């Protein structure tokens, strides 16, 4: 679309040429129309950036290709490939529901505009899940909904600048490990030696069985 200049004979049509500058006033395609201000449905054929030159003809056919104005048309029909090097921090079990993801984006004609993600189930279609705009090489502060403890897989796949999402089968999974629940008390707690001790340097050994826990037992706290 454009705004027409003033002309004694008015504007009678528009010339346009794709992918090469015009070399004469009639070197291109012509679309007639009194005071025309738009062209619709121009095909570019192949993915990529295409220059289109536009110049006007007046009501009696005068045209000057030297006045042609170039515009850039950007066309991308290809889905981006999968992400590479998808990682999460922390990698091990954590009691803080906050995860940072990072990755390397694939090359794409229109660039990468963000990523889609889906938790606990792999995507069945490219547009499944939710979109993270501007998540170019990572996303910080991902929170597992509902603070739900356990191992969770989150699938991530890129979206390019033209809105094409990677194929569902190209989504990458990464595992998040969340355990916000304190363990149960120790089981079958006992100590040796039993009874009263008279030795000044007497020491005691405590033993117990650990309860089941998502992230396992890695230590014990005690207070005398």
């Amino acid at each position: 679309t454009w705004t027409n200049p003033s002309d004694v004979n008015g504007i009678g049509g528009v010339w346009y040429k794709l992918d090469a500058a015009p070399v004469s006033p009639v070197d291109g395609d012509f679309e007639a129309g009194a005071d025309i201000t738009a062209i619709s449905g121009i095909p570019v054929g192949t993915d990529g950036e295409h220059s289109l030159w536009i110049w006007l003809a007046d009501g009696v056919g005068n045209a000057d290709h030297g006045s042609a104005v170039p515009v850039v048309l950007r066309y991308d029909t290809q889905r981006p490939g999968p992400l590479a090097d998808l990682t999460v921090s922390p990698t091990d079990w954590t009691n803080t529901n906050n995860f940072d993801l990072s990755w390397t984006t694939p090359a794409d004609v229109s660039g990468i505009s963000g990523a889609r993600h889906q938790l606990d189930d792999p995507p069945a279609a490219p547009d499944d899940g939710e979109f993270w705009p501007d998540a170019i090489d990572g996303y910080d502060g991902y929170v597992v909904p509902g603070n739900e403890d356990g191992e969770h897989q989150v699938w991530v796949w890129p979206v390019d600048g033209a809105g094409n999402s990677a194929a569902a089968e190209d989504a990458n999974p990464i595992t998040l490990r969340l355990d916000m629940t304190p363990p149960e008390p120790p089981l079958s707690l006992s100590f040796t030696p039993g009874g009263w001790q008279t030795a000044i340097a007497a020491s005691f050994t405590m033993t117990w069985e650990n309860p089941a826990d998502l992230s396992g037992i890695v230590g014990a706290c005690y207070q005398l």
Side-chain angles (χ1 to χ4, degrees):
T1 63
W2 61 87
T3 300
N4 285 324
S6 60
D7 190 273
V8 171
N9 297 305
I11 300 301
V14 60
W15 288 92
Y16 60 94
K17 186 177 181 182
L18 187 69
D19 289 333
V23 296
S24 76
V26 294
D27 179 26
D29 295 305
F30 182 70
E31 188 161 331
D35 295 322
I36 186 172
T37 58
I39 312 172
S40 298
I42 300 173
V44 296
T46 60
D47 285 9
E49 291 188 343
H50 298 267
S51 291
L52 180 75
W53 280 263
I54 300 174
W55 64 108
L56 299 172
D58 66 16
V60 294
N62 297 312
D64 177 13
H65 66 288
S67 68
V69 177
V71 294
V72 178
L73 313 181
R74 298 174 174 88
Y75 186 49
D76 181 7
T77 63
Q78 302 300 311
R79 298 189 185 281
L83 302 172
D85 306 318
L86 178 61
T87 60
V88 63
S89 177
T91 59
D92 208 345
W93 286 94
T94 178
N95 60 7
T96 302
N97 192 3
N98 191 290
F99 298 88
D100 295 339
L101 290 86
S102 62
W103 56 77
T104 301
T105 56
D108 190 88
V109 169
S110 57
I112 299 300
S113 65
R116 302 190 74 85
H117 69 283
Q118 184 159 294
L119 187 69
D120 290 334
D121 290 302
D127 294 333
D128 277 357
E130 297 179 7
F131 180 58
W132 283 326
D134 301 320
I136 308 303
D137 54 10
Y139 183 87
D140 292 342
Y142 180 77
V143 174
V144 175
N147 294 327
E148 184 180 347
D149 284 352
E151 288 190 329
H152 300 273
Q153 280 194 313
V154 58
W155 277 262
V156 186
W157 62 105
V159 179
D160 69 17
N164 301 306
S165 298
E169 57 268 24
D170 284 339
N172 292 41
I174 192 77
T175 300
L176 318 181
R177 297 175 174 89
L178 180 64
D179 183 3
M180 302 177 67
T181 304
E184 296 294 326
L187 306 173
S188 305
L189 181 64
S190 64
F191 65 92
T192 57
W196 289 94
Q197 305 300 309
T198 58
I200 293 176
S203 64
F204 300 86
T205 299
M206 310 292 293
T207 60
W208 62 86
E209 293 180 12
N210 286 322
D213 189 89
L214 272 176
S215 56
I217 303 298
V218 297
C221 299
Y222 63 93
Q223 180 171 303
L224 187 64

